[in-house]
Each structure stands twice: as structure tokens, then as C-alpha cells.
Amino acid sequence: MFDELDILIIKEVQENMPLTLDPYGDIAKTIGSTRTEVIKHLKKLNDNGFMKRIVAILNHRDSGYPENGMLAAVVPKDVLMDAGQNLSDEPNVTHCYERKSYDNWPYNLYAMIHGKTRSEVENTVEKFITETNIDDYQILYSTKEFKKSSLKYF
């Protein structure tokens, strides 16, 4: 299933990637391989379905955006796609998606909005609800981050 080099590479990429111009080259040096071999093995792991993707995760609080609010809104189905696209185009919106609504929780559009201040988050929401004629919404503010790490296999 996995050879020795696969396991070494997996151990490296499930940690924080080096913040350099050549992270794959740096990983190769760490494990005693070459950049070409690291990329070849990562491609093989991806092609075989063992690895989905390699992503960068920005810690928004550390980067100067301590206020984070999840907008939950009731948006009519006939304008949902356009409203969601418009909201997702806002520069401080990182996640925007439709979810099933329920009788006791009618919200069907969600967006994670980041700001340097709570006012920035609320201004984005105000702009959206005004442009879209939304009157039923909530902003759920983040108070504590419990986990931002990936699952480790080895």
C-alpha cells in the first residue's frame, strides 16, 4: 500500500509545511530524497485516492482578523444562488454555502465573515441584507477556537 518514502512524505506534509520558496525541496532534504521524488509520490498518493489535497490554512486571528461571525440567513430559493454568489464575492467572506433548513432553524444560507473589528463584520452583513431584502438572519460570533489541525495517519 505505502512504501517507506510514502510514509516519510506523509509524516512531513501532515505537519506545518515549510514557509519557504521551495517547500517540497525542503521536505526532500529533510527525508533524504529529491524534490522530484517527493512530488512524484504526492501525485501517486493523490491519484490513488489516499490524499485529497494539500492546503494552506491561514490563522485569521493571528493575521489581524480577530472578529469572526457566521451569518445565518433565510434566503428565498429563487434568489439563493445569486445572493450566495454576491456574498461570496465579498473579500472578507471565506465560506459561503447553502444548508438544509428546519422548522426550528429556518436558515438556509451561511457565510463566515472575518473582520478586524465587529463593525467590519456587521457592515458586510448590513450591505448583504439590504441588497438582498433579507429580514431573518443571525450573526453567530466565534468566541473560542477548539481545533485547527489535521488528522495524523502516521
Side-chain angles (χ1 to χ4, degrees):
M1 179 150 151
F2 300 118
D3 66 26
E4 185 178 326
L5 188 54
D6 290 332
I7 293 170
L8 290 172
I9 292 169
I10 290 167
K11 284 180 178 179
E12 289 297 315
V13 299
Q14 67 189 5
E15 297 296 331
N16 291 332
M17 297 280 283
L19 294 175
T20 66
L21 293 175
D22 186 14
Y24 299 111
D26 293 341
I27 288 170
K29 286 177 191 167
T30 300
I31 63 174
S33 186
T34 66
R35 181 181 190 277
T36 301
E37 280 299 306
V38 167
I39 291 171
K40 181 176 119 185
H41 278 257
L42 287 170
K43 183 172 177 2
K44 177 186 76 171
L45 291 166
N46 181 263
D47 291 346
N48 291 328
F50 294 115
M51 181 183 71
K52 191 174 183 179
R53 64 183 182 264
I54 295 176
V55 298
I57 298 173
L58 178 66
N59 187 329
H60 49 271
R61 287 188 173 109
D62 290 344
S63 65
Y65 293 88
E67 294 297 329
N68 308 285
M70 174 66 76
L71 170 67
V74 177
V75 180
K77 282 279 188 198
D78 61 325
V79 298
L80 182 64
M81 292 304 290
D82 287 338
Q85 184 61 58
N86 290 340
L87 185 57
S88 69
D89 287 342
E90 289 293 324
N92 58 338
V93 172
T94 56
H95 304 73
C96 186
Y97 45 90
E98 176 186 11
R99 286 257 171 111
K100 182 179 177 184
S101 60
Y102 297 91
D103 291 338
N104 62 345
W105 189 256
Y107 308 103
N108 62 340
L109 182 70
Y110 295 82
M112 193 67 199
I113 304 167
H114 305 281
K116 292 181 180 180
T117 65
R118 199 165 271 217
S119 297
E120 282 187 34
V121 173
E122 291 167 357
N123 289 341
T124 300
V125 171
E126 185 64 34
K127 178 182 176 210
F128 171 72
I129 65 168
T130 301
E131 290 174 352
T132 318
N133 264 344
I134 302 299
D135 58 1
D136 193 355
Y137 70 95
Q138 290 191 37
I139 306 172
L140 310 169
Y141 286 98
S142 300
T143 55
K144 183 174 181 172
E145 188 172 308
F146 290 102
K147 180 181 179 188
K148 190 167 250 169
S149 62
S150 51
L151 180 64
K152 300 219 173 60
Y153 292 98
F154 297 102

